[in-house]
Amino acid sequence: MSIEDNKDLNRRVVEEVLNTGKVELLDEMMTPSVAAHLQRDIPALRQAFPDLHYTIENMVAEGDQVVVRVTMTGTNTGPFQGRPPTGRSARWTGMVLSRCAGGKIVEQWFNLDLFTLMQQLGVIPGGMPSHAGLVQQP
């Protein structure tokens, strides 16, 4: 697969699966061991946040690896991690590094800002903003 093919594959996961909840499509995009985790987690997350939406902010690829940085938004109207719904809207970020081979994603590593999400849901008291210490260039 080319670097562009790998990026397209990762883009499809966001647009066709994460933003729609169509986990059955994962079988054609990922190996069974990778797909199994998402097939379990995506429905639970979409139950907690029925209006969940992922926006791709950046995508960088080199060789067989792709990094995708996303912003997620949603309103917590269903149970989440054993807690009742809060009715609050939230916006949080995440990054995933995927390794691709043979036209599929074969490995993934996630980094999600669940601390910011839990603050916005009122589960963790507010404090320093999650962006503190980050420097943005003009």
Side-chain angles (χ1 to χ4, degrees):
M1 291 180 63
S2 72
I3 288 175
E4 287 306 313
D5 290 336
N6 292 341
K7 288 170 69 174
D8 286 342
L9 178 59
N10 279 267
R11 186 176 293 107
R12 284 186 63 212
V13 170
V14 172
E15 294 172 357
E16 297 176 27
V17 178
L18 297 177
N19 280 338
T20 67
K22 296 179 182 175
V23 294
E24 64 276 7
L25 297 175
L26 290 173
D27 290 331
E28 68 184 65
M29 300 177 193
M30 302 178 165
T31 59
S33 61
V34 177
H37 295 288
L38 292 179
Q39 287 169 331
R40 177 195 67 224
D41 296 343
I42 291 170
L45 193 55
R46 293 197 67 80
Q47 179 184 10
F49 300 89
D51 61 344
L52 182 64
H53 183 78
Y54 291 72
T55 301
I56 297 173
E57 304 293 349
N58 302 93
M59 187 179 301
V60 179
E62 182 176 324
D64 63 354
Q65 297 183 349
V66 179
V67 176
V68 181
R69 184 175 72 88
V70 295
T71 299
M72 294 154 279
T73 56
T75 307
N76 180 218
T77 59
F80 180 61
Q81 294 190 344
R83 293 179 177 84
T86 65
R88 294 183 179 191
S89 294
R91 180 181 185 275
W92 66 105
T93 60
M95 292 176 47
V96 60
L97 168 63
S98 300
R99 188 173 70 80
C100 305
K104 293 192 175 197
I105 295 172
V106 298
E107 291 181 284
Q108 285 191 315
W109 298 269
F110 292 90
N111 185 355
L112 303 175
D113 186 4
L114 296 179
F115 183 78
T116 295
L117 171 60
M118 296 306 240
Q119 278 186 322
Q120 291 178 25
L121 295 181
V123 175
I124 297 173
M128 188 180 337
S130 64
H131 64 277
L134 296 179
V135 177
Q136 291 185 340
Q137 299 298 319

